[in-house]
Amino acid sequence: MTAIIVTGGKQYKVTEGDTLFIEKLPTEEGSSVCFDQVLAIIDGEKATFGAPVVEGASVEATVVKNGKGKKIRIFKYKPKKGYRKRQGHRQPYTKVTIGKINVG
């Protein structure tokens, strides 16, 4: 069974047992989280699509860890003007493991 969920402004296609890196959630490690915005559920040949979400459907997941991604460096430069600006950024994330997909 496969579901399409929305979290952090992005859509993810998930199945039971998947591990994802999503936008940071305000939860502790080891706690469970429930995604209520399920856009579609695909079960073999049978597919259920919501308008905009499937009523009563949810996806349960467990938070594995919270962390930060690799550092990216931003360098702005204007030639012949003496303007140089260097900046770094590490995007926070939450790693989750998908548990059960509830059809409702």
Side-chain angles (χ1 to χ4, degrees), residues 64-79:
V64 177
K65 74 175 205 171
N66 291 314
K68 288 185 178 180
K70 292 182 75 171
K71 180 174 270 193
I72 60 166
R73 301 199 187 272
I74 298 102
F75 188 74
K76 296 180 180 179
Y77 170 79
K78 297 198 185 210

Side-chain angles (χ1 to χ4, degrees), residues 1-6 11-16 18 37-43 48 57-59 98 100-102:
M1 185 179 295
T2 304
I4 299 173
I5 62 170
V6 176
Q11 297 177 4
Y12 298 94
K13 184 178 180 181
V14 298
T15 58
E16 294 179 2
D18 281 354
Q37 288 188 314
V38 178
L39 300 178
I41 294 178
I42 300 129
D43 189 11
T48 307
S58 65
V59 175
I98 302 298
K100 187 177 179 190
I101 299 173
N102 301 318

